[in-house]
């Protein structure tokens, strides 16, 4: 977990310098609330009654030494890579269904999200953006073509790939991994239905934001980078949390976290 946070050390330090410790704290240090939740889930499993001390195995000392060395380095990628490697090692050496195995899945998912996030955006952002534009085109008077939305007065809004919902979709997957492991929810069709439904909701929320940006160009900055953008972001996470809570109530073998 320290390795995962170390990867964000430079942005955290910059944010504290720019806005102060208090504002940085309430801004979650520019770390997604999903990352914080996943770290909480892993920490909870590590301290749970299920977590039992397992005997040292050959290779544990080497993995631990590499993890500590990478964490102490003031560079993000070695810490991320070491955290991923440690998670995979724990995943391979822990017992199926144990708290250690579930914690390892969460920690591996956190680091993989950071490692593969850019690749995920590169591969799928254009496809997701095209779907966003197509939906806006179908439900409004805005005309979509490629990554351009044309208003009725002829003015245009160019939508970049970073404005697609792909980033929030990757965070949604991480949230479901953390929730399912924290509450020991088995991978079933019903769980996958909840996951897919939440992905659709997040996609629709982003499409609605693009629609409003096209309809109300005078509020573009508010919806693009201002409080409106934050409002849409938080609404997506809150709906995701609601759906995850419903899934826990219906699918988890117990109602309390491990």
């Amino acid at each position: 977990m320290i390795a995962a946070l170390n990867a964000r050390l430079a942005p955290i330090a910059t944010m504290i310098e720019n806005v102060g410790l208090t504002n940085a704290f309430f801004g979650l240090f520019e770390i997604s609330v999903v990352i914080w939740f996943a770290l909480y889930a892993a920490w909870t499993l590590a301290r749970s009654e299920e977590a039992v001390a397992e005997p040292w195995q050959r290779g544990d000392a080497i993995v631990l030494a590499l993890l500590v060395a990478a964490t102490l380095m003031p560079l993000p990628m070695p810490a991320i890579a070491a955290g991923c490697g440690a998670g995979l090692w724990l995943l391979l050496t822990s017992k199926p269904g144990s708290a250690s195995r579930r914690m390892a899945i969460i920690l591996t998912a956190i680091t993989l999200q950071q490692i593969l996030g850019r690749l995920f955006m590169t591969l799928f952002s254009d496809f997701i953006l095209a779907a966003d534009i197509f939906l806006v085109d179908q439900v409004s008077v805005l005309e979509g073509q490629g990554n351009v939305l044309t208003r009725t007065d002829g003015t245009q809004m160019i939508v970049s790939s970073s404005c697609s919902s792909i980033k929030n979709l990757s965070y949604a997957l991480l949230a479901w991994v953390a929730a399912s492991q924290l509450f020991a929810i088995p991978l079933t069709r019903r769980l996958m239905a909840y996951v897919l439904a939440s992905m659709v909701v997040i996609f629709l929320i982003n499409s609605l934001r693009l629609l409003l940006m096209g309809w109300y160009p005078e509020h573009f900055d508010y919806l693009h980078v201002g409080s409106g953008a934050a409002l849409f972001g938080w609404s997506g996470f809150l709906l995701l949390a609601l759906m995850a809570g419903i899934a826990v109530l219906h699918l988890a073998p117990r109602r309390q976290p491990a």
Side-chain angles (χ1 to χ4, degrees):
M1 288 183 285
I2 295 176
L5 290 176
N6 184 60
R8 298 287 302 172
L9 186 60
I12 289 174
T14 301
M15 185 179 185
I16 293 175
E17 182 179 355
N18 291 337
V19 303
L21 179 60
T22 301
N23 290 331
F25 174 80
F26 286 106
L28 300 180
F29 300 101
E30 288 192 343
I31 297 176
S32 170
V33 64
V34 172
I35 297 290
W36 287 115
F37 168 70
L39 291 173
Y40 160 78
W43 176 255
T44 300
L45 286 170
R47 299 180 68 250
S48 69
E49 295 180 357
E50 289 184 71
V52 295
E54 299 182 6
W56 278 76
Q57 303 183 47
R58 180 178 299 179
D60 283 355
I62 296 176
V63 173
L64 179 61
L66 291 174
L67 179 62
V68 171
T71 301
L72 294 176
M73 295 176 64
L75 297 171
M77 286 311 299
I80 295 174
C84 183
L88 290 173
W89 175 258
L90 184 59
L91 184 63
L92 293 173
T93 57
S94 56
K95 297 179 181 179
S98 65
S100 296
R101 171 68 65 87
R102 289 151 53 200
M103 179 181 67
I105 292 174
I106 295 174
L107 295 177
T108 303
I110 293 173
T111 52
L112 284 178
Q113 195 276 335
Q114 296 181 68
I115 293 174
L116 300 178
R118 293 180 182 272
L119 177 62
F120 194 61
M121 289 188 65
T122 301
L123 293 176
F124 300 107
S125 60
D126 289 342
F127 172 77
I128 298 297
L129 179 60
D132 281 320
I133 297 295
F134 175 78
L135 180 61
V136 172
D137 176 83
Q138 295 299 306
V139 302
S140 72
V141 296
L142 300 173
E143 181 180 349
Q145 185 174 7
N147 66 330
V148 177
L149 286 173
T150 303
R151 304 182 181 93
T152 54
D153 61 359
T155 60
Q156 296 180 325
M157 181 178 74
I158 300 175
V159 186
S160 67
S161 58
S162 61
C163 290
S164 73
S165 53
I166 192 69
K167 186 175 182 180
N168 286 340
L169 290 177
S170 69
Y171 280 128
L173 288 174
L174 175 59
W176 278 109
V177 170
S180 63
Q181 297 307 308
L182 177 61
F183 292 94
I185 302 176
L187 182 59
T188 62
R189 290 183 179 180
R190 291 183 64 190
L191 175 61
M192 292 307 301
Y194 278 106
V195 174
L196 291 175
S198 68
M199 305 279 276
V200 170
V201 168
I202 289 175
F203 169 77
L204 292 177
I205 287 175
N206 191 69
S207 296
L208 176 60
R209 185 172 72 96
L210 293 178
L211 174 63
L212 293 177
M213 289 164 61
W215 263 350
Y216 304 104
E218 65 274 17
H219 300 302
F220 178 85
D221 289 337
Y222 173 78
L223 293 166
H224 186 227
V225 295
S227 300
L231 180 62
F232 271 93
W234 275 103
S235 64
F237 288 132
L238 290 175
L239 286 173
L240 175 62
L242 176 62
M243 297 181 72
I246 295 173
V248 167
L249 291 175
H250 284 85
L251 305 178
R254 52 185 175 277
R255 300 301 173 86
Q256 296 296 325

